[in-house]
Amino acid sequence: AQSVTQLDSHVSVSEGTPVLLRCNYSSSYSPSLFWYVQHPNKGLQLLLKYTSAATLVKGINGFEAEFKKSETSFHLTKPSAHMSDAAEYFCVVSEETSYDKVIFGPGTSLSVIP
Amino acid sequence: NAGVTQTPKFRVLKTGQSMTLLCAQDMNHEYMYWYRQDPGMGLRLIHYSVGEGTTAKGEVPDGYNVSRLKKQNFLLGLESAAPSQTSVYFCASSYSTDGIAPTYEQYFGPGTRLTVT
């Protein structure tokens, strides 16, 4: 069975410092993995996705994530945080091509301190 | 393109009342989904549709019904609202590149905040 764990419910960083949001997954098959961002009172927006191509995935707004099969991890990083990065981030796993086998993690709230 | 829109944005219901949430997309997507978002639980799939006239149950379907009479619209109904249905509801849509199955990228609406007292 699939599952997603986001290791931190809240992360706080200073503007200009690196961001690391951690995600571990459990999957019986080769999964597809995603990061979505949700700004306050908005819908979710896709940041990046891994679908069995390159293990280092680059997304929008300077974010990237690395798929590490041996560690079952898909951590999200950004070299330098901006104030506009403050939002909720969701790690998502999906197995095969299945309409309802999409599992959202509980989310990590990112705060950016000026 | 407006993308995915949801109406209403906010609603307060009393226990036992009914209501319908409307989701509309103008991207000609085949697949549409209804999720609920509760604190600390991520998003959970309520119902989904793989095409006009078809619907299926997701992870938490009890207390909800859906209809997809037109490709661009996906309605979520609550027949008898309960306080446990207080949540933020998100609609999403996705498309197929091979005509067989959806891509995993979903496009989300802005959400409907529902409170049941």
Side-chain angles (χ1 to χ4, degrees), chain A residues 7-70:
Chain A
L7 298 164
D8 305 293
S9 60
H10 184 257
V11 171
S12 183
V13 301
S14 296
E15 190 175 18
T17 64
V19 175
L20 170 62
L21 304 183
R22 297 182 293 169
C23 173
N24 286 91
Y25 69 91
S26 172
S27 176
S28 303
Y29 304 95
S30 295
S32 293
L33 294 157
F34 309 80
W35 278 98
Y36 282 83
V37 61
Q38 182 183 28
H39 288 94
N41 300 314
K42 302 288 186 185
L44 280 71
Q45 179 186 16
L46 182 69
L47 269 181
L48 50 79
K49 60 184 175 183
Y50 165 78
T51 54
S52 75
T55 57
L56 182 61
V57 182
K58 294 188 184 298
I60 61 172
N61 300 333
F63 284 94
E64 61 182 37
E66 186 172 7
F67 173 68
K68 292 186 176 180
K69 187 175 181 179
S70 61

Short mmCIF file of all heavy atoms in Angstrom, two decimals, chain A residues 7-70:
data_model
loop_
_atom_site.label_atom_id
_atom_site.label_comp_id
_atom_site.label_asym_id
_atom_site.label_seq_id
_atom_site.Cartn_x
_atom_site.Cartn_y
_atom_site.Cartn_z
N LEU A 7 7.98 14.77 7.05
CA LEU A 7 8.60 14.64 8.35
C LEU A 7 8.44 15.87 9.24
O LEU A 7 8.62 15.77 10.45
CB LEU A 7 10.07 14.29 8.16
CG LEU A 7 10.25 12.96 7.43
CD1 LEU A 7 11.67 12.82 6.90
CD2 LEU A 7 9.94 11.81 8.38
N ASP A 8 8.14 16.99 8.65
CA ASP A 8 7.98 18.22 9.42
C ASP A 8 6.63 18.84 9.11
O ASP A 8 6.31 19.05 7.95
CB ASP A 8 9.08 19.23 9.08
CG ASP A 8 10.46 18.64 9.25
OD1 ASP A 8 10.82 18.37 10.40
OD2 ASP A 8 11.15 18.44 8.24
N SER A 9 5.86 19.13 10.11
CA SER A 9 4.58 19.79 9.86
C SER A 9 4.78 21.28 9.63
O SER A 9 3.96 21.92 8.97
CB SER A 9 3.64 19.58 11.04
OG SER A 9 4.20 20.10 12.23
N HIS A 10 5.89 21.81 10.17
CA HIS A 10 6.17 23.24 9.98
C HIS A 10 7.67 23.46 9.90
O HIS A 10 8.43 22.88 10.68
CB HIS A 10 5.59 24.07 11.14
CG HIS A 10 5.76 25.53 10.96
ND1 HIS A 10 6.72 26.27 11.61
CD2 HIS A 10 5.11 26.41 10.15
CE1 HIS A 10 6.64 27.54 11.23
NE2 HIS A 10 5.68 27.65 10.36
N VAL A 11 8.08 24.28 8.93
CA VAL A 11 9.48 24.66 8.77
C VAL A 11 9.56 26.18 8.69
O VAL A 11 8.75 26.80 7.97
CB VAL A 11 10.08 24.03 7.50
CG1 VAL A 11 11.46 24.59 7.20
CG2 VAL A 11 10.16 22.51 7.64
N SER A 12 10.52 26.74 9.38
CA SER A 12 10.71 28.18 9.35
C SER A 12 12.15 28.47 8.94
O SER A 12 13.08 27.89 9.51
CB SER A 12 10.44 28.77 10.74
OG SER A 12 10.55 30.17 10.72
N VAL A 13 12.33 29.33 7.94
CA VAL A 13 13.66 29.70 7.47
C VAL A 13 13.73 31.21 7.33
O VAL A 13 12.71 31.89 7.19
CB VAL A 13 14.00 29.03 6.12
CG1 VAL A 13 13.94 27.51 6.22
CG2 VAL A 13 13.09 29.53 5.01
N SER A 14 14.95 31.72 7.32
CA SER A 14 15.15 33.14 7.06
C SER A 14 15.25 33.37 5.55
O SER A 14 15.72 32.51 4.80
CB SER A 14 16.43 33.63 7.74
OG SER A 14 16.31 33.52 9.15
N GLU A 15 14.79 34.52 5.13
CA GLU A 15 14.88 34.88 3.72
C GLU A 15 16.33 34.79 3.26
O GLU A 15 17.25 35.24 3.96
CB GLU A 15 14.34 36.29 3.51
CG GLU A 15 14.16 36.68 2.07
CD GLU A 15 13.51 38.05 1.90
OE1 GLU A 15 13.53 38.82 2.88
OE2 GLU A 15 12.99 38.34 0.82
N GLY A 16 16.54 34.16 2.09
CA GLY A 16 17.89 34.04 1.56
C GLY A 16 18.63 32.79 1.97
O GLY A 16 19.70 32.49 1.44
N THR A 17 18.07 32.01 2.90
CA THR A 17 18.70 30.76 3.34
C THR A 17 18.05 29.58 2.63
O THR A 17 16.94 29.71 2.09
CB THR A 17 18.60 30.58 4.86
OG1 THR A 17 17.21 30.45 5.23
CG2 THR A 17 19.21 31.76 5.59
N PRO A 18 18.73 28.42 2.63
CA PRO A 18 18.19 27.27 1.91
C PRO A 18 16.92 26.71 2.55
O PRO A 18 16.70 26.81 3.77
CB PRO A 18 19.32 26.25 1.97
CG PRO A 18 20.54 27.03 2.26
CD PRO A 18 20.10 28.18 3.11
N VAL A 19 16.13 26.08 1.71
CA VAL A 19 14.90 25.42 2.14
C VAL A 19 15.06 23.92 1.92
O VAL A 19 15.55 23.47 0.88
CB VAL A 19 13.69 25.92 1.32
CG1 VAL A 19 12.42 25.14 1.70
CG2 VAL A 19 13.48 27.41 1.52
N LEU A 20 14.65 23.14 2.93
CA LEU A 20 14.61 21.68 2.80
C LEU A 20 13.29 21.21 3.39
O LEU A 20 13.04 21.37 4.59
CB LEU A 20 15.77 21.02 3.54
CG LEU A 20 15.69 19.49 3.68
CD1 LEU A 20 15.69 18.81 2.31
CD2 LEU A 20 16.80 18.95 4.56
N LEU A 21 12.44 20.62 2.57
CA LEU A 21 11.19 20.01 3.03
C LEU A 21 11.29 18.52 2.74
O LEU A 21 11.49 18.12 1.60
CB LEU A 21 9.99 20.64 2.31
CG LEU A 21 9.86 22.15 2.40
CD1 LEU A 21 8.59 22.61 1.69
CD2 LEU A 21 9.89 22.64 3.81
N ARG A 22 11.09 17.72 3.78
CA ARG A 22 11.37 16.31 3.66
C ARG A 22 10.12 15.48 3.39
O ARG A 22 9.05 15.74 3.96
CB ARG A 22 12.06 15.82 4.94
CG ARG A 22 13.42 16.49 5.17
CD ARG A 22 14.08 15.95 6.41
NE ARG A 22 13.36 16.32 7.63
CZ ARG A 22 13.60 15.81 8.82
NH1 ARG A 22 14.54 14.87 8.95
NH2 ARG A 22 12.94 16.21 9.88
N CYS A 23 10.30 14.47 2.55
CA CYS A 23 9.19 13.58 2.18
C CYS A 23 9.74 12.16 2.03
O CYS A 23 10.72 11.94 1.33
CB CYS A 23 8.55 14.03 0.88
SG CYS A 23 7.31 12.89 0.23
N ASN A 24 9.10 11.22 2.69
CA ASN A 24 9.39 9.81 2.49
C ASN A 24 8.11 9.11 2.06
O ASN A 24 7.02 9.48 2.48
CB ASN A 24 9.93 9.17 3.78
CG ASN A 24 11.35 9.58 4.05
OD1 ASN A 24 11.60 10.57 4.73
ND2 ASN A 24 12.29 8.83 3.49
N TYR A 25 8.28 8.09 1.25
CA TYR A 25 7.11 7.42 0.70
C TYR A 25 7.26 5.92 0.86
O TYR A 25 8.36 5.39 1.07
CB TYR A 25 6.94 7.77 -0.78
CG TYR A 25 8.02 7.18 -1.64
CD1 TYR A 25 7.87 5.93 -2.23
CD2 TYR A 25 9.24 7.84 -1.81
CE1 TYR A 25 8.88 5.36 -2.97
CE2 TYR A 25 10.25 7.28 -2.55
CZ TYR A 25 10.07 6.05 -3.13
OH TYR A 25 11.08 5.48 -3.86
N SER A 26 6.14 5.26 0.74
CA SER A 26 6.10 3.81 0.70
C SER A 26 5.27 3.40 -0.50
O SER A 26 4.16 3.92 -0.68
CB SER A 26 5.47 3.26 1.99
OG SER A 26 5.26 1.88 1.89
N SER A 27 5.82 2.52 -1.32
CA SER A 27 5.11 2.13 -2.53
C SER A 27 5.54 0.72 -2.93
O SER A 27 6.70 0.37 -2.81
CB SER A 27 5.41 3.11 -3.66
OG SER A 27 4.81 2.69 -4.85
N SER A 28 4.59 -0.05 -3.40
CA SER A 28 4.88 -1.41 -3.83
C SER A 28 5.50 -1.45 -5.22
O SER A 28 6.12 -2.44 -5.59
CB SER A 28 3.59 -2.25 -3.83
OG SER A 28 3.00 -2.24 -2.56
N TYR A 29 5.31 -0.42 -5.98
CA TYR A 29 5.80 -0.37 -7.34
C TYR A 29 6.64 0.88 -7.53
O TYR A 29 6.82 1.65 -6.61
CB TYR A 29 4.63 -0.37 -8.33
CG TYR A 29 3.70 -1.55 -8.16
CD1 TYR A 29 2.56 -1.44 -7.39
CD2 TYR A 29 3.98 -2.76 -8.78
CE1 TYR A 29 1.71 -2.52 -7.22
CE2 TYR A 29 3.13 -3.84 -8.62
CZ TYR A 29 2.00 -3.71 -7.84
OH TYR A 29 1.16 -4.77 -7.68
N SER A 30 7.14 1.06 -8.72
CA SER A 30 7.85 2.30 -9.01
C SER A 30 6.85 3.44 -9.03
O SER A 30 5.98 3.49 -9.90
CB SER A 30 8.57 2.20 -10.37
OG SER A 30 9.57 1.22 -10.32
N PRO A 31 6.99 4.35 -8.11
CA PRO A 31 5.96 5.40 -8.00
C PRO A 31 6.25 6.61 -8.87
O PRO A 31 7.36 6.80 -9.35
CB PRO A 31 6.07 5.79 -6.53
CG PRO A 31 7.54 5.65 -6.25
CD PRO A 31 8.00 4.47 -7.08
N SER A 32 5.23 7.39 -9.06
CA SER A 32 5.39 8.76 -9.53
C SER A 32 5.24 9.65 -8.31
O SER A 32 4.40 9.39 -7.45
CB SER A 32 4.34 9.10 -10.59
OG SER A 32 4.53 8.35 -11.76
N LEU A 33 6.05 10.69 -8.25
CA LEU A 33 6.06 11.55 -7.07
C LEU A 33 5.94 13.00 -7.49
O LEU A 33 6.47 13.41 -8.53
CB LEU A 33 7.36 11.34 -6.29
CG LEU A 33 7.51 9.96 -5.67
CD1 LEU A 33 8.97 9.64 -5.41
CD2 LEU A 33 6.71 9.87 -4.37
N PHE A 34 5.28 13.77 -6.66
CA PHE A 34 4.97 15.16 -6.97
C PHE A 34 5.13 16.02 -5.73
O PHE A 34 4.98 15.54 -4.61
CB PHE A 34 3.51 15.30 -7.44
CG PHE A 34 3.12 14.35 -8.53
CD1 PHE A 34 2.80 13.04 -8.25
CD2 PHE A 34 3.08 14.78 -9.84
CE1 PHE A 34 2.45 12.16 -9.25
CE2 PHE A 34 2.73 13.91 -10.85
CZ PHE A 34 2.42 12.59 -10.55
N TRP A 35 5.39 17.28 -5.97
CA TRP A 35 5.25 18.30 -4.95
C TRP A 35 4.28 19.36 -5.47
O TRP A 35 4.42 19.85 -6.59
CB TRP A 35 6.59 18.97 -4.63
CG TRP A 35 7.44 18.21 -3.67
CD1 TRP A 35 8.48 17.39 -3.95
CD2 TRP A 35 7.35 18.23 -2.24
NE1 TRP A 35 9.03 16.89 -2.79
CE2 TRP A 35 8.35 17.38 -1.73
CE3 TRP A 35 6.50 18.90 -1.33
CZ2 TRP A 35 8.55 17.18 -0.36
CZ3 TRP A 35 6.70 18.71 0.03
CH2 TRP A 35 7.70 17.85 0.50
N TYR A 36 3.31 19.68 -4.60
CA TYR A 36 2.37 20.76 -4.89
C TYR A 36 2.55 21.84 -3.84
O TYR A 36 2.91 21.55 -2.68
CB TYR A 36 0.92 20.27 -4.81
CG TYR A 36 0.44 19.49 -6.02
CD1 TYR A 36 0.70 18.13 -6.14
CD2 TYR A 36 -0.30 20.11 -7.01
CE1 TYR A 36 0.23 17.42 -7.23
CE2 TYR A 36 -0.78 19.40 -8.11
CZ TYR A 36 -0.51 18.06 -8.21
OH TYR A 36 -0.97 17.35 -9.29
N VAL A 37 2.26 23.07 -4.23
CA VAL A 37 2.30 24.20 -3.28
C VAL A 37 0.89 24.81 -3.20
O VAL A 37 0.17 24.87 -4.19
CB VAL A 37 3.33 25.26 -3.72
CG1 VAL A 37 3.00 25.85 -5.08
CG2 VAL A 37 3.42 26.37 -2.69
N GLN A 38 0.54 25.22 -2.00
CA GLN A 38 -0.75 25.87 -1.79
C GLN A 38 -0.52 27.17 -1.02
O GLN A 38 -0.16 27.14 0.16
CB GLN A 38 -1.69 24.96 -1.01
CG GLN A 38 -3.08 25.57 -0.79
CD GLN A 38 -3.98 24.68 0.06
OE1 GLN A 38 -3.52 23.90 0.88
NE2 GLN A 38 -5.28 24.80 -0.18
N HIS A 39 -0.74 28.27 -1.69
CA HIS A 39 -0.68 29.56 -1.00
C HIS A 39 -2.00 29.81 -0.28
O HIS A 39 -3.02 29.23 -0.64
CB HIS A 39 -0.35 30.68 -1.99
CG HIS A 39 1.07 30.64 -2.45
ND1 HIS A 39 1.45 30.00 -3.61
CD2 HIS A 39 2.21 31.13 -1.90
CE1 HIS A 39 2.75 30.10 -3.75
NE2 HIS A 39 3.24 30.78 -2.73
N PRO A 40 -1.98 30.66 0.73
CA PRO A 40 -3.18 30.88 1.55
C PRO A 40 -4.42 31.17 0.73
O PRO A 40 -4.39 32.01 -0.18
CB PRO A 40 -2.78 32.06 2.43
CG PRO A 40 -1.30 31.95 2.55
CD PRO A 40 -0.82 31.44 1.21
N ASN A 41 -5.47 30.43 1.04
CA ASN A 41 -6.78 30.61 0.40
C ASN A 41 -6.75 30.39 -1.11
O ASN A 41 -7.56 30.95 -1.85
CB ASN A 41 -7.33 32.01 0.71
CG ASN A 41 -7.52 32.22 2.19
OD1 ASN A 41 -8.05 31.37 2.90
ND2 ASN A 41 -7.02 33.34 2.69
N LYS A 42 -5.81 29.59 -1.56
CA LYS A 42 -5.70 29.27 -2.98
C LYS A 42 -5.77 27.77 -3.18
O LYS A 42 -5.66 26.98 -2.23
CB LYS A 42 -4.36 29.78 -3.55
CG LYS A 42 -4.14 31.26 -3.40
CD LYS A 42 -5.02 32.05 -4.34
CE LYS A 42 -4.69 33.53 -4.29
NZ LYS A 42 -5.62 34.33 -5.12
N GLY A 43 -5.94 27.36 -4.46
CA GLY A 43 -5.87 25.95 -4.78
C GLY A 43 -4.42 25.49 -4.84
O GLY A 43 -3.49 26.25 -4.62
N LEU A 44 -4.23 24.20 -5.12
CA LEU A 44 -2.89 23.64 -5.19
C LEU A 44 -2.31 23.82 -6.59
O LEU A 44 -3.02 23.72 -7.59
CB LEU A 44 -2.93 22.14 -4.86
CG LEU A 44 -3.00 21.76 -3.39
CD1 LEU A 44 -4.34 22.07 -2.77
CD2 LEU A 44 -2.66 20.29 -3.21
N GLN A 45 -1.01 24.05 -6.63
CA GLN A 45 -0.31 24.23 -7.89
C GLN A 45 0.85 23.25 -7.95
O GLN A 45 1.60 23.11 -6.98
CB GLN A 45 0.20 25.67 -8.02
CG GLN A 45 0.95 25.95 -9.30
CD GLN A 45 1.57 27.33 -9.32
OE1 GLN A 45 1.72 27.98 -8.29
NE2 GLN A 45 1.95 27.80 -10.50
N LEU A 46 1.04 22.60 -9.09
CA LEU A 46 2.12 21.64 -9.24
C LEU A 46 3.47 22.36 -9.28
O LEU A 46 3.67 23.28 -10.08
CB LEU A 46 1.93 20.83 -10.51
CG LEU A 46 2.98 19.75 -10.77
CD1 LEU A 46 2.84 18.62 -9.74
CD2 LEU A 46 2.84 19.18 -12.18
N LEU A 47 4.39 21.95 -8.41
CA LEU A 47 5.75 22.48 -8.40
C LEU A 47 6.65 21.67 -9.31
O LEU A 47 7.42 22.22 -10.09
CB LEU A 47 6.33 22.42 -6.99
CG LEU A 47 6.16 23.60 -6.05
CD1 LEU A 47 6.85 23.27 -4.74
CD2 LEU A 47 6.71 24.88 -6.65
N LEU A 48 6.60 20.36 -9.15
CA LEU A 48 7.45 19.47 -9.95
C LEU A 48 6.94 18.04 -9.83
O LEU A 48 6.14 17.74 -8.95
CB LEU A 48 8.91 19.57 -9.51
CG LEU A 48 9.24 19.43 -8.02
CD1 LEU A 48 9.24 18.00 -7.57
CD2 LEU A 48 10.59 20.10 -7.71
N LYS A 49 7.47 17.19 -10.74
CA LYS A 49 7.05 15.79 -10.72
C LYS A 49 8.18 14.88 -11.16
O LYS A 49 9.02 15.25 -11.98
CB LYS A 49 5.84 15.58 -11.62
CG LYS A 49 6.06 15.93 -13.08
CD LYS A 49 4.77 15.77 -13.87
CE LYS A 49 4.95 16.22 -15.32
NZ LYS A 49 3.67 16.14 -16.08
N TYR A 50 8.20 13.70 -10.59
CA TYR A 50 9.14 12.66 -10.96
C TYR A 50 8.33 11.48 -11.51
O TYR A 50 7.43 10.98 -10.84
CB TYR A 50 9.95 12.19 -9.76
CG TYR A 50 10.66 10.89 -10.03
CD1 TYR A 50 11.82 10.86 -10.78
CD2 TYR A 50 10.14 9.69 -9.56
CE1 TYR A 50 12.45 9.66 -11.05
CE2 TYR A 50 10.76 8.49 -9.83
CZ TYR A 50 11.91 8.48 -10.58
OH TYR A 50 12.52 7.29 -10.86
N THR A 51 8.68 11.07 -12.74
CA THR A 51 7.96 9.95 -13.35
C THR A 51 8.94 8.99 -14.01
O THR A 51 8.78 8.61 -15.16
CB THR A 51 6.93 10.44 -14.37
OG1 THR A 51 7.61 11.28 -15.33
CG2 THR A 51 5.82 11.23 -13.72
N SER A 52 9.97 8.58 -13.29
CA SER A 52 10.94 7.56 -13.68
C SER A 52 11.95 8.02 -14.74
O SER A 52 12.58 7.19 -15.37
CB SER A 52 10.25 6.27 -14.16
OG SER A 52 9.71 6.43 -15.45
N ALA A 53 12.08 9.29 -14.92
CA ALA A 53 13.13 9.80 -15.80
C ALA A 53 14.32 10.21 -14.91
O ALA A 53 14.73 9.47 -14.05
CB ALA A 53 12.62 10.95 -16.65
N ALA A 54 14.84 11.39 -15.08
CA ALA A 54 15.98 11.85 -14.28
C ALA A 54 15.61 11.90 -12.80
O ALA A 54 14.51 12.32 -12.44
CB ALA A 54 16.43 13.22 -14.74
N THR A 55 16.53 11.48 -11.94
CA THR A 55 16.22 11.44 -10.50
C THR A 55 16.24 12.82 -9.87
O THR A 55 15.62 13.03 -8.83
CB THR A 55 17.20 10.53 -9.77
OG1 THR A 55 18.53 10.99 -10.02
CG2 THR A 55 17.07 9.10 -10.23
N LEU A 56 16.94 13.77 -10.48
CA LEU A 56 16.92 15.14 -9.99
C LEU A 56 15.94 15.92 -10.85
O LEU A 56 16.14 16.05 -12.05
CB LEU A 56 18.31 15.76 -10.05
CG LEU A 56 18.43 17.19 -9.51
CD1 LEU A 56 18.05 17.23 -8.03
CD2 LEU A 56 19.82 17.74 -9.73
N VAL A 57 14.92 16.41 -10.22
CA VAL A 57 13.84 17.06 -10.95
C VAL A 57 13.83 18.54 -10.62
O VAL A 57 13.86 18.92 -9.45
CB VAL A 57 12.48 16.44 -10.57
CG1 VAL A 57 11.35 17.10 -11.36
CG2 VAL A 57 12.50 14.94 -10.79
N LYS A 58 13.78 19.35 -11.65
CA LYS A 58 13.69 20.79 -11.44
C LYS A 58 12.26 21.25 -11.67
O LYS A 58 11.59 20.79 -12.60
CB LYS A 58 14.64 21.52 -12.39
CG LYS A 58 16.11 21.24 -12.11
CD LYS A 58 17.02 22.11 -12.92
CE LYS A 58 18.48 21.73 -12.69
NZ LYS A 58 18.88 21.94 -11.26
N GLY A 59 11.82 22.16 -10.80
CA GLY A 59 10.45 22.64 -10.92
C GLY A 59 10.40 24.14 -11.10
O GLY A 59 11.40 24.77 -11.46
N ILE A 60 9.26 24.70 -10.80
CA ILE A 60 9.09 26.14 -10.96
C ILE A 60 9.63 26.88 -9.75
O ILE A 60 9.83 26.29 -8.68
CB ILE A 60 7.60 26.50 -11.18
CG1 ILE A 60 6.76 26.07 -9.98
CG2 ILE A 60 7.08 25.85 -12.45
CD1 ILE A 60 5.33 26.56 -10.03
N ASN A 61 9.90 28.15 -9.93
CA ASN A 61 10.32 29.05 -8.84
C ASN A 61 11.60 28.61 -8.15
O ASN A 61 11.80 28.92 -6.97
CB ASN A 61 9.20 29.19 -7.81
CG ASN A 61 7.93 29.75 -8.41
OD1 ASN A 61 7.96 30.48 -9.40
ND2 ASN A 61 6.79 29.40 -7.83
N GLY A 62 12.47 27.92 -8.86
CA GLY A 62 13.78 27.56 -8.31
C GLY A 62 13.80 26.33 -7.42
O GLY A 62 14.83 25.99 -6.85
N PHE A 63 12.68 25.64 -7.29
CA PHE A 63 12.64 24.43 -6.48
C PHE A 63 13.14 23.22 -7.27
O PHE A 63 13.02 23.17 -8.49
CB PHE A 63 11.21 24.15 -6.02
CG PHE A 63 10.75 25.03 -4.90
CD1 PHE A 63 10.05 26.21 -5.15
CD2 PHE A 63 11.02 24.70 -3.58
CE1 PHE A 63 9.64 27.03 -4.12
CE2 PHE A 63 10.60 25.51 -2.53
CZ PHE A 63 9.91 26.68 -2.81
N GLU A 64 13.72 22.27 -6.55
CA GLU A 64 14.07 21.00 -7.14
C GLU A 64 13.93 19.90 -6.10
O GLU A 64 13.87 20.17 -4.90
CB GLU A 64 15.47 21.01 -7.74
CG GLU A 64 16.59 21.27 -6.78
CD GLU A 64 17.93 21.30 -7.51
OE1 GLU A 64 18.01 21.79 -8.65
OE2 GLU A 64 18.91 20.80 -6.92
N ALA A 65 13.85 18.66 -6.59
CA ALA A 65 13.72 17.52 -5.69
C ALA A 65 14.51 16.36 -6.27
O ALA A 65 14.63 16.22 -7.49
CB ALA A 65 12.25 17.13 -5.52
N GLU A 66 15.03 15.53 -5.38
CA GLU A 66 15.81 14.38 -5.81
C GLU A 66 15.13 13.09 -5.35
O GLU A 66 14.84 12.92 -4.17
CB GLU A 66 17.23 14.43 -5.26
CG GLU A 66 18.11 13.31 -5.82
CD GLU A 66 19.57 13.47 -5.44
OE1 GLU A 66 19.88 14.38 -4.64
OE2 GLU A 66 20.38 12.70 -5.96
N PHE A 67 14.90 12.19 -6.30
CA PHE A 67 14.33 10.90 -6.01
C PHE A 67 15.45 9.95 -5.60
O PHE A 67 16.40 9.73 -6.37
CB PHE A 67 13.61 10.35 -7.23
CG PHE A 67 13.13 8.94 -7.10
CD1 PHE A 67 12.10 8.63 -6.22
CD2 PHE A 67 13.69 7.91 -7.84
CE1 PHE A 67 11.63 7.34 -6.08
CE2 PHE A 67 13.24 6.61 -7.72
CZ PHE A 67 12.21 6.33 -6.84
N LYS A 68 15.36 9.42 -4.39
CA LYS A 68 16.35 8.47 -3.90
C LYS A 68 15.63 7.18 -3.54
O LYS A 68 15.03 7.07 -2.45
CB LYS A 68 17.10 9.02 -2.70
CG LYS A 68 18.01 10.20 -3.03
CD LYS A 68 18.85 10.61 -1.83
CE LYS A 68 19.81 11.73 -2.20
NZ LYS A 68 20.65 12.14 -1.05
N LYS A 69 15.73 6.21 -4.43
CA LYS A 69 14.99 4.97 -4.24
C LYS A 69 15.48 4.22 -3.01
O LYS A 69 14.67 3.66 -2.25
CB LYS A 69 15.12 4.08 -5.47
CG LYS A 69 14.27 2.84 -5.45
CD LYS A 69 14.35 2.09 -6.76
CE LYS A 69 13.46 0.85 -6.73
NZ LYS A 69 13.51 0.12 -8.02
N SER A 70 16.79 4.21 -2.78
CA SER A 70 17.34 3.46 -1.65
C SER A 70 16.86 4.02 -0.32
O SER A 70 16.75 3.29 0.67
CB SER A 70 18.86 3.47 -1.71
OG SER A 70 19.34 4.80 -1.62
#
